[in-house]
């Protein structure tokens, strides 16, 4: 099937060209269009400029491929993996072949507020290549960047589990991941009980983890403490740069949303660059750990504690 892709953030519309002689499986279409395990994607058969196509309306914030640019903590990784596995079980239980799923992070989407994953399923009667869930899991893990040693150790356990099994059983593996999730929750609760008291912040502040800018020239560490954080020469900015004429009065705005940090250029005179690439005014880009941000000739590094 040819991808006739059309995407926009917060909802993605994907169209896949469908040969005229390929029939729709109405039972699979109905079962897929039920809301299940966080998957709220809808699939219909449409005609686009006279071309028959499967159209998917995907309610999500980001492609999973883009989300995986950030470093994942153990709890985030396990939540995403268990969500995917739970959906695979749904398909199995309803006799929907897993090889009709697009098990590829390029065609998976994530809702940042819940970490729900949207999987695409092709409800048509035609032959598809075989599906190897173990290979998909290993491939998925290889794409993930992990935030700390706890995450890396968790992955090592999972890979050892997979290697130890002569035959893969989806339900058993799902239960294994759920047990790891539960253990992680208990560990987090235990850590909270022994933590030092912390200063309460207002609802506008962003915490745990805290994103920072590191000003390269001075090595100053600048916490991004508000949902909208402006950098520039103006006294009204959240961080004021008074010693660089190439920085505009209100040069760039950093925005925190659903656990991610985005930056946009505020129509500055000398522009904003991310890792050397020009950022178009008004266009937001999601930042990843260690990204280089240049405002005029003033350089910063983005860092998440």
């Amino acid at each position: 099937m040819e991808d006739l892709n059309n995407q926009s953030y917060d909802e993605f519309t994907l169209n896949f060209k469908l040969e005229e002689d390929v029939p729709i499986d109405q039972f699979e279409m109905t079962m897929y269009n039920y809301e299940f395990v966080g998957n709220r994607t809808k699939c219909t058969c449409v005609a686009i400029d006279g071309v028959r196509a499967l159209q998917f309306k995907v309610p999500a914030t980001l492609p999973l491929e883009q989300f995986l640019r950030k470093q994942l903590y153990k709890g985030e990784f396990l939540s995403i993996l268990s969500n995917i596995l739970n959906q695979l079980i749904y398909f199995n239980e309803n006799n929907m072949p897993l090889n009709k799923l697009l098990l590829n992070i390029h065609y998976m989407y994530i809702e940042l507020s819940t970490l729900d994953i949207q999987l695409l399923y092709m409800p048509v009667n035609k032959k598809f290549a075989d599906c190897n869930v173990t290979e998909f899991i290993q491939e998925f893990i290889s794409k993930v960047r992990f935030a700390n040693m706890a995450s890396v150790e968790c992955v090592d356990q999972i890979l050892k589990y997979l290697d130890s099994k002569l035959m893969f059983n989806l339900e058993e593996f799902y239960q294994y991941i759920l047990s790891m999730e539960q253990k992680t929750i208990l560990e987090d609760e235990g850590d909270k009980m022994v933590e030092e008291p912390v200063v309460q912040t207002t609802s506008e502040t962003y915490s745990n983890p805290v994103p920072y800018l590191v000003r390269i020239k001075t090595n100053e560490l600048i916490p991004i403490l508000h949902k909208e954080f402006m950098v520039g020469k103006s006294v009204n900015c959240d961080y004021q740069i008074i010693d660089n004429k190439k920085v505009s009065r209100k040069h760039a705005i950093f925005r925190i949303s659903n656990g991610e940090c985005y930056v946009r250029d505020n129509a500055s005179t000398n522009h904003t660059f991310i890792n050397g690439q020009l950022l178009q005014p008004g266009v937001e880009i999601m930042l990843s750990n260690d990204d280089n941000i240049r405002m005029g000739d003033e350089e910063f590094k983005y860092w998440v504690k």
Side-chain angles (χ1 to χ4, degrees), residues 55-276:
Q55 183 172 90
F56 294 85
K57 294 286 188 180
V58 187
T61 311
L62 283 178
L64 184 58
E65 192 172 41
Q66 183 174 342
F67 178 78
L68 294 181
R69 288 175 52 202
K70 78 183 282 283
Q71 294 178 325
L72 297 192
Y73 289 89
K74 179 179 175 182
E76 292 176 305
F77 169 71
L78 290 174
S79 178
I80 291 170
L81 182 55
S82 67
N83 179 280
I84 293 172
L85 294 172
N86 203 359
Q87 290 191 50
L88 298 187
I89 290 172
Y90 173 87
F91 291 116
N92 264 349
E93 289 177 344
N94 288 285
N95 298 313
M96 299 166 72
L98 297 187
N99 62 349
K100 294 187 180 183
L101 280 164
L102 298 185
L103 285 182
N104 183 320
I105 60 172
H106 181 70
Y107 291 111
M108 295 180 179
Y109 297 83
I110 186 167
E111 175 50 55
L112 295 180
S113 60
T114 59
L115 297 185
D116 284 340
I117 302 296
Q118 308 295 307
L119 301 182
L120 304 187
Y121 182 88
M122 297 293 170
V124 295
N125 290 322
K126 65 172 290 183
K127 186 174 178 58
F128 289 84
D130 290 338
C131 171
N132 187 313
V133 175
T134 304
E135 286 183 2
F136 161 71
I137 294 166
Q138 292 168 335
E139 176 70 13
F140 169 66
I141 288 173
S142 73
K143 302 292 185 183
V144 177
R145 299 170 59 215
F146 294 102
N148 53 28
M149 280 307 298
S151 304
V152 174
E153 289 167 359
C154 166
V155 168
D156 284 342
Q157 289 180 45
I158 292 171
L159 293 176
K160 286 176 181 176
Y161 174 93
L162 292 172
D163 287 341
S164 70
K165 299 297 180 181
L166 185 61
M167 299 293 291
F168 177 78
N169 183 287
L170 179 58
E171 287 76 11
E172 286 182 6
F173 183 61
Y174 175 58
Q175 291 302 321
Y176 176 73
I177 297 300
L178 284 185
S179 69
M180 295 185 79
E181 269 197 290
Q182 185 61 36
K183 183 179 178 182
T184 301
I185 292 169
L186 293 174
E187 288 172 352
D188 289 345
E189 289 177 350
D191 290 343
K192 288 176 184 176
M193 291 177 67
V194 297
E195 279 180 356
E196 295 285 331
V198 296
V199 177
Q200 294 297 313
T201 57
T202 68
S203 60
E204 281 195 24
T205 60
Y206 179 78
S207 60
N208 192 31
V210 177
Y212 292 88
L213 296 175
V214 182
R215 190 178 181 188
I216 301 300
K217 183 163 66 177
T218 63
N219 211 30
E220 181 181 0
L221 199 60
I222 307 155
I224 302 174
L225 293 176
H226 304 291
K227 290 180 180 178
E228 292 244 342
F229 189 91
M230 184 175 289
V231 176
K233 286 191 299 191
S234 170
V235 293
N236 295 320
C237 288
D238 297 288
Y239 180 76
Q240 186 182 15
I241 299 173
I242 59 175
D243 56 351
N244 190 329
K245 294 182 179 179
K246 298 247 179 119
V247 175
S248 295
R249 284 177 50 78
K250 296 181 178 180
H251 196 108
I253 297 170
F254 295 81
R255 183 176 69 87
I256 303 298
S257 176
N258 293 324
E260 297 293 342
C261 185
Y262 300 81
V263 62
R264 68 179 183 270
D265 181 83
N266 197 37
S268 64
T269 302
N270 293 306
H271 310 295
T272 303
F273 301 81
I274 309 298
N275 298 324

